[in-house]
Amino acid sequence: MRLSERIDSLFPTDAAIPPEHRLPGRLDQRGYLVDGEIRTWDGPLAEVRSPICEGNGPAASMRAIGGYPLLTEVEATAALAAAREAYDHGRGEWPTMGVAARIRHVEEFVRRLKLQRDAVVRLVMWEIGKTYADACKEFDRTVAYAVDTIEALKDLDRAGSRFEIREGILGQIRRAPLGVVLCMGPYNYPLNETFTIFLPALIMGNTVVFKPPRMGVLLYGPLLEALRDCFPRGVVNTVYGDGARVVGPLMASGQIDCLGFIGSCKVADILKHQHPYPHRLRSVLGLGAKNVGIVLPDADLETAVAECVLGGLSYNGQRCTALKLLYVHRAIAPEFTARLAAAVDALAPGLPWDEGAQITPLPEPGKPAYLAGIVADAVAAGAQVLNPHGGRTNGTYYHPAVVYPVTPGSALHEQEQFGPVVPVAVFDDIAQPVGWIEESRFGQQVSIFGSDPGTIAELVDPLVNQVCRVNLNSQCQRGPDTFPFTGRKDSAEGTLSVSDALRVFSIRTLVAAKANAGNEEILTAIIRGRKSTFLNTDFIF
């Protein structure tokens, strides 16, 4: 079947959906977790529509697959009150619990999480259009992240298991929780990236109010019982609904101590400005990016094209770490763009469960029309769509477009497209792409493709002061999770990685005393009598 025919007939009849990937029926979730109980919502539901359409062409429409509670500020406030009570000014069961005990609770939750793999993976495919292979990878990476977090916390706690003596002062330095954390993750990695803020916040002794992303929300239904059973009452609470209605009151209350958010800087700014005491609010933010790939004249074109395709179009380009703008030296631009266009049109369209599918439907309503608009704007400014099928649509499906040459000032050059469009700009002087990066409001990552060590070194030195990761002859990416993940400017606040996340969701706290016989006797009695969970010299194996 020709590519155009595959695109035009992409969406299946119900009978053509493989039985193992079908939903059991409409999934109307009415449960939400507050104060240790799964409460039932009898009010209106928000409709959940899948990017997997019914019908093809002009008749294509997003399937309604379920709904989730449209809670109000009343339910949101109850969730916050439960979290505040469970924290109890730091005197609650969870924040005063020893590290080893908190680890056991998280380990039990991870065991229960693994049992829901099939259900969660299926919902990731249906809710956000991620391929089966990538949905499995997201789930498994989340489990691995949880295991690594536990091991990192053990290391962190071991470092604090001894006393220090400096200038005649005895001190034990450990990390303590911040209070109540509001966790909000993104739709593109609704499980993994949400858990990269949720799990470290939780395991460090904070209590949590958690709002699932606006797409990828039903997949949390199968996890509610485990969240209820594995943690003390009120430690984990969920809110659903319109963000302005349920999150606004939480922030405006001034009772959120830390905001863990991955999404747009526009939304992050709104949330932070709603808090009446912004100086007291700790923010851990993963925000937008317009990561640039710089292809130098001596680049290995085979490597550069392969990595740019992966970097630009993995999960349809819907990643903050995606390569969203390529700057190619004029000397190699014709050959590079020809190879790039051929490689992009060779990508296989498909549904999430189709074997070999590389480009899938988009979950954001209206996204194909938005992409078509910014491509048309670039074309009006002199660019062309180089691949023959670039921009072909069918319902929620948009076939990737290679657009060249995009020029500064065009929407595609300046905006984070967050979708399957690969803009390519040309440069004669390396100062052009470097200057654009310097002036950009984003500062997450950059990729450099080239072979001359001297040239690369001259680029690395200034670029590490503009972005937080420079990738050599490889795509931009988050992993491995032990590496720092952050950004400058409008791209991030705080650093996320397995060990860094434990630190940003906690604060160094110490108990200190003059090193004299009386104080030493008191501290010895506390430790030997196991009278304190903070003051101890236990070594967690």
Side-chain angles (χ1 to χ4, degrees), residues 82-93 95 180 207:
R84 298 297 298 181
E85 183 177 351
Y87 191 71
D88 191 20
H89 304 283
R91 296 177 297 192
E93 177 186 1
V180 176
T207 59

Side-chain angles (χ1 to χ4, degrees), residues 20 28 52 85 239 250 315 357 398 414 445 468 473 478 483 538:
E20 65 272 23
D28 283 334
I52 301 167
E85 183 177 351
V239 293
L250 300 183
Y315 184 45
Y398 184 96
E414 307 302 326
Q445 298 187 34
C468 287
N473 293 308
R478 174 170 178 152
F483 282 11
D538 292 346

Side-chain angles (χ1 to χ4, degrees), residues 162-171 173 510 512-515:
R162 62 187 180 88
F163 279 81
E164 297 185 22
I165 305 177
R166 295 287 186 273
E167 300 179 13
I169 301 293
L170 284 168
I173 305 168
L510 71 153
K514 288 186 176 180

Side-chain angles (χ1 to χ4, degrees), residues 335-408:
E335 184 178 358
F336 176 85
T337 53
R339 290 192 184 197
L340 181 67
V344 168
D345 251 9
L347 296 174
L351 299 172
W353 48 77
D354 290 341
E355 187 174 352
Q358 294 166 292
I359 304 296
T360 55
L362 307 175
E364 282 189 274
K367 193 59 179 275
Y370 162 75
L371 295 174
I374 59 173
V375 168
D377 174 74
V379 170
Q384 291 181 299
V385 177
L386 297 184
N387 52 321
H389 295 90
R392 193 179 187 98
T393 61
N394 177 10
T396 54
Y397 182 86
Y398 184 96
H399 195 68
V402 177
V403 186
Y404 170 82
V406 297
T407 52

